[in-house]
Amino acid sequence: MHPHIAERKTALMSTTAQHTYRVIVRGRWDGLTAEARAKLLAEVDDHGLAQLQFTPEGSLAYDTALHSFTYRYVIVSDAADGEEMAAALAEDKAETALKEAGLGYRELRSTATDMDTMKINRKGR
């Protein structure tokens, strides 16, 4: 678990402003057992780009090459902590999901977008 996540989870119950972040966590498969590979390949149609959505539970996508994967999360976090904390929370969720599934991974990295501060360019009428 990333440093200070447990402390921040408790602090999130405060009355500070919350922002919604979309976080993409990328990683590489590592040390997959034959059983894990078979399970992933059997479920690959359920984890393609067409099924990829931002959700609080996380949406996992990968392909038959089994080189890399992507999780997409919606994270609601204290605005004062910014994108860095949202990314850390999402990486923690991804690590937990992968460990619970018994799937080996490495090189987790993430990018977060604050949906509350994102500008939307609308075309003129």
Side-chain angles (χ1 to χ4, degrees), residues 23-42:
V23 184
I24 299 173
V25 180
R26 294 178 178 86
R28 301 180 71 62
W29 297 116
D30 188 46
L32 294 173
T33 64
E35 182 180 327
R37 291 182 71 79
K39 182 178 186 331
L40 287 169
L41 289 172

Side-chain angles (χ1 to χ4, degrees), residues 21-87:
Y21 299 89
R22 285 187 172 181
V23 184
I24 299 173
V25 180
R26 294 178 178 86
R28 301 180 71 62
W29 297 116
D30 188 46
L32 294 173
T33 64
E35 182 180 327
R37 291 182 71 79
K39 182 178 186 331
L40 287 169
L41 289 172
E43 297 174 357
V44 73
D45 290 338
D46 297 332
H47 296 282
L49 292 178
Q51 291 76 24
L52 199 55
Q53 300 177 26
F54 288 95
T55 66
E57 302 79 30
S59 178
L60 173 63
Y62 58 89
D63 62 23
T64 56
L66 296 182
H67 291 297
S68 59
F69 58 87
T70 302
Y71 270 102
R72 291 191 181 199
Y73 288 98
V74 170
I75 301 290
V76 178
S77 180
D78 188 338
D81 289 332
E83 293 174 357
E84 185 176 326
M85 179 55 73

Side-chain angles (χ1 to χ4, degrees), residues 4-19:
H4 310 295
I5 288 181
E7 294 170 18
R8 293 305 306 153
K9 283 181 181 178
T10 303
L12 290 178
M13 301 301 177
S14 69
T15 59
T16 59
Q18 301 284 290
H19 279 203

